[in-house]
Amino acid sequence: MSEVAENTATPEVPQTSGTQSILSENSIKAENESFKENSDEGNEVVVEIPKKPASAYVTISIFCCMIGFGGFISGWDTGTIGGFLAHPDYLRRFGQHHKNGTHYFSNVRTGLVVSIFNIGGLFGCLILGDLANRIGRKMALVAVVVIFMVGIIIQIASIDKWYQYFIGRIISGLGVGAISIFSPMLLSEVAPKHLRGTLGSMYQLMVTAGIFLGDCTNYGTKNYDNSVQWRVPLGLSFAWCLFMIAAMFFVPESPRYLVEVGKIEEAKRSIATSNKVSMDDPAVQAEVDLISSGVEAERLAGNASWAELFSTKGKNIQRLFMCCMLQCLQQLTGCNYFFYYGTVIFQAVGMKDSYQTAIVFGIVNFASTFVALYVVDRFGRRKCLMWGAAAMVCCYVVYASVGVTRLYPDGIKHKDTNSSKGAGNCMICFSCFFIFSFACTWAPICWVVVSESFPLRIKPKGMALANGCNWFWNFLISFFTPFITGAINFYYGYVFMGCMVFAYFYVFFFVPEMKGLTLEEVNELWEDGVLPWKSPDWVPSSRRGADVDMDAFQKDDKPLFKKMFGRK
């Protein structure tokens, strides 16, 4: 069903009543046929929610920042944990002992303390992912933030048992893993469709802000010689969590969830708030009608099961595979290779302070994400992902080649005694170029694409599996990188370069363009079987003329090189 109205009147379409009554499948089909006939006669007028000047969306932008603040909590943990490992007090309490009495962290314990958070995130996605359908997006966020706080309490209370801190990390990871589902989900469902990419990127913007401020906090507490070094940054997490919980009582709830539970008036209010229009605007009613028809159709199909995710019906398995692959590739960009282990490059040019190293990367990462807020809705998801992959390939070519051949003139075996400052400066420069390319494209856009790809009935489960892939690969890379770099050193960059070459082609052939579409129109795009490289020109049925040839969007006989590089 499309957003339509005749002479600005509200169309008669299936609606969800306060009693959540179910319409018959025949009535829905009849309405669809009637709509098609009326459309052919040209009697129907599409009711679009009007676009307003940017100043009109200040309120919803603030609300989206508050929703995306869940990313700040995740980023704060990432920014602080790396610094903890260098704090003397933290090392004395949770590290291991050499025979001479000095303390150290083995690669295994370092990997466990840092990376077990990601395993918690994986299980948080899988265990808590359906909570959004049970109690709503807002209350689900409140619940999982509380879980995160429980984990923080356990960590702060740890005295000298590393496994107690380890358990706290797992529990905190459970909460943040679920936040990575609910925060992008709510953003995608309340943001106006023409700003969904920009406002959906607020989650990643908050992640980068959390990483940067976490790094700065570590720098500020490094001169203490007691548990203030690490307990203060952990304690500050409570302030961010309390802000997040309070914010949830001000932001609008997902109109799709409200329609699903029969709260139609609240759904209208949510849509009106997000789009800065009156509740009585015909376009608001048309949007509610569109959502209602989709909800009723899904309700007729029964409860969604995990098995339905792997069904070819509605292209569910294709969507799932695409989202999982994008989340895996986001980690295979090698971003955490730089964020966790890039200090060796700075040390090669005389910057010995790892705290300063982290702040440099944090500044570049945070500032670059603002660029993403512009490009994601200006150029679209596909172009940004492809250009981002190409740019990162170029960065890795220089970075890895210089590291292998020029950084240590006397060879890797003599890296402790001699290094080329010029080569090191070059590698630092291209490390920052890499972070800029990543933060502008793959960092935010993967979350946006995942949040807008699934139909409502399987959305929490689909996002749970896709985001779980992200957490799993985050764990693998952060845990095994010390061992891999110890074996092959800067050749590791060529591995990530190969992944980005693959990512470029994968996006071209499998990721459709969803810019400027409502979530219901995204669903129609998938069900129409549109070829991804032709999706930028696809038009939803509600705005499509009678002369549109759908076969042209579903078939392409051009040779491969013409598909990728030929003119339209």
Side-chain angles (χ1 to χ4, degrees):
M1 186 65 64
S2 302
E3 306 171 56
V4 296
E6 185 173 356
N7 299 325
T8 70
T10 302
E12 295 182 1
V13 291
Q15 296 185 28
T16 306
S17 68
T19 58
Q20 301 183 39
S21 60
I22 300 175
L23 301 182
S24 70
E25 188 172 8
N26 289 335
S27 67
I28 293 176
K29 290 181 178 178
E31 292 242 11
N32 287 336
E33 293 300 322
S34 174
F35 165 74
K36 290 177 182 178
E37 291 174 4
N38 290 334
S39 297
D40 292 339
E41 295 173 8
N43 294 328
E44 295 291 341
V45 179
V46 175
V47 179
E48 288 280 351
I49 294 179
K51 294 182 182 179
K52 297 179 178 291
S55 58
Y57 298 104
V58 171
T59 302
I60 188 60
S61 297
I62 294 173
F63 285 153
C64 286
C65 284
M66 296 162 76
I67 296 169
F69 198 78
F72 186 95
I73 295 173
S74 174
W76 179 266
D77 183 272
T78 301
T80 54
I81 187 60
F84 290 175
L85 297 176
H87 288 323
D89 183 78
Y90 190 88
L91 186 61
R92 287 194 302 268
R93 290 173 183 268
F94 305 115
Q96 295 155 280
H97 304 267
H98 286 298
K99 290 181 179 180
N100 61 6
T102 59
H103 299 80
Y104 73 101
F105 275 113
S106 67
N107 283 341
V108 173
R109 186 170 294 190
T110 298
L112 288 175
V113 170
V114 173
S115 304
I116 200 62
F117 184 82
N118 300 317
I119 293 297
L122 169 62
F123 284 107
C125 288
L126 299 179
I127 296 172
L128 303 173
D130 203 40
L131 201 60
N133 275 352
R134 297 176 182 273
I135 62 175
R137 281 49 162 162
K138 289 166 53 175
M139 291 310 299
L141 275 169
V142 171
V144 297
V145 169
V146 170
I147 292 174
F148 174 81
M149 294 171 70
V150 171
I152 293 295
I153 291 172
I154 295 173
Q155 292 175 64
I156 291 178
S158 302
I159 297 176
D160 58 4
K161 300 296 187 292
W162 76 273
Y163 46 82
Q164 179 181 347
Y165 194 89
F166 179 86
I167 292 170
R169 294 278 294 164
I170 295 176
I171 295 174
S172 293
L174 285 172
V176 169
I179 288 173
S180 73
I181 298 175
F182 304 147
S183 187
M185 180 187 298
L186 184 54
L187 284 170
S188 72
E189 294 178 359
V190 302
K193 68 177 184 179
H194 64 285
L195 295 176
R196 194 172 63 243
T198 297
L199 298 181
S201 298
M202 288 295 180
Y203 176 79
Q204 182 63 26
L205 178 65
M206 291 294 106
V207 170
T208 60
I211 293 173
F212 172 59
L213 291 181
D215 291 334
C216 292
T217 303
N218 278 338
Y219 187 78
T221 60
K222 70 173 184 175
N223 292 325
Y224 289 91
D225 59 359
N226 54 28
S227 63
V228 168
Q229 289 181 324
W230 55 277
R231 281 189 169 131
V232 166
L234 279 176
L236 283 173
S237 298
F238 285 104
W240 315 138
C241 291
L242 292 175
F243 174 81
M244 181 74 182
I245 291 172
M248 290 303 100
F249 294 95
F250 295 93
V251 303
E253 177 60 278
S254 162
R256 286 158 181 82
Y257 169 76
L258 293 172
V259 169
E260 189 173 21
V261 297
K263 298 180 179 180
I264 303 300
E265 291 303 312
E266 291 186 31
K268 290 181 181 178
R269 187 177 299 109
S270 176
I271 294 171
T273 300
S274 297
N275 293 276
K276 199 68 174 179
V277 294
S278 167
M279 284 181 61
D280 299 325
D281 192 300
V284 172
Q285 182 63 51
E287 182 78 6
V288 170
D289 292 338
L290 178 65
I291 296 171
S292 297
S293 64
V295 169
E296 289 292 349
E298 290 176 358
R299 186 175 287 130
L300 287 171
N303 295 325
S305 64
W306 283 99
E308 188 172 335
L309 277 173
F310 300 93
S311 168
T312 56
K313 181 180 180 182
K315 305 283 180 133
N316 288 346
I317 191 170
Q318 289 91 329
R319 304 189 209 199
L320 177 65
F321 186 83
M322 180 202 73
C323 291
C324 288
M325 182 61 74
L326 283 180
Q327 291 288 41
C328 292
L329 288 171
Q330 189 199 58
Q331 290 302 315
L332 288 170
T333 58
C335 54
N336 284 329
Y337 167 66
F338 288 99
F339 291 131
Y340 292 156
Y341 305 107
T343 55
V344 64
I345 309 305
F346 287 80
Q347 290 171 353
V349 296
M351 187 179 285
K352 303 296 184 182
D353 192 333
S354 61
Y355 298 99
Q356 294 177 5
T357 301
I359 289 174
V360 169
F361 278 145
I363 290 172
V364 175
N365 190 32
F366 179 54
S368 300
T369 307
F370 283 97
V371 180
L373 300 182
Y374 171 76
V375 300
V376 62
D377 275 325
R378 174 66 176 83
F379 300 105
R381 285 65 160 155
R382 279 172 54 83
K383 283 185 179 179
C384 289
L385 289 173
M386 291 169 66
W387 280 107
M392 286 185 279
V393 167
C394 296
C395 292
Y396 272 126
V397 168
V398 177
Y399 171 86
S401 299
V402 172
V404 168
T405 62
R406 294 289 184 268
L407 183 60
Y408 303 112
D410 298 329
I412 290 294
K413 293 182 179 180
H414 302 280
K415 64 182 180 181
D416 294 330
T417 59
N418 188 23
S419 64
S420 167
K421 188 169 183 178
N425 285 333
C426 177
M427 295 178 72
I428 289 173
C429 180
F430 277 89
S431 296
C432 292
F433 279 145
F434 168 86
I435 292 174
F436 172 80
S437 302
F438 173 75
C440 290
T441 56
W442 281 79
I445 294 176
C446 286
W447 300 105
V448 172
V449 171
V450 170
S451 69
E452 60 191 10
S453 292
F454 294 103
L456 184 64
R457 60 183 278 102
I458 62 169
K459 189 171 188 176
K461 291 182 172 66
M463 290 186 67
L465 285 181
N467 292 0
C469 290
N470 185 289
W471 288 104
F472 179 67
W473 276 96
N474 195 331
F475 165 77
L476 291 179
I477 291 173
S478 58
F479 183 82
F480 288 108
T481 286
F483 302 98
I484 296 173
T485 53
I488 64 175
N489 212 278
F490 296 110
Y491 286 100
Y492 200 19
Y494 292 126
V495 175
F496 293 126
M497 183 192 74
C499 293
M500 288 299 92
V501 172
F502 170 79
Y504 181 92
F505 288 96
Y506 183 82
V507 171
F508 180 85
F509 286 109
F510 295 102
V511 180
E513 181 56 70
M514 293 171 271
K515 181 186 76 169
L517 303 177
T518 67
L519 296 180
E520 287 70 30
E521 290 168 349
V522 169
N523 195 47
E524 182 185 351
L525 167 70
W526 278 96
E527 292 181 346
D528 278 353
V530 177
L531 295 173
W533 56 92
K534 292 194 172 186
S535 60
D537 297 323
W538 178 82
V539 179
S541 58
S542 60
R543 304 195 295 272
R544 187 185 305 158
D547 58 340
V548 174
D549 181 11
M550 282 303 300
D551 286 341
F553 289 103
Q554 298 166 343
K555 299 176 183 178
D556 194 347
D557 298 325
K558 289 182 181 179
L560 177 61
F561 72 93
K562 286 189 176 181
K563 291 178 185 179
M564 297 198 67
F565 306 111
R567 293 180 179 272
K568 296 179 182 179

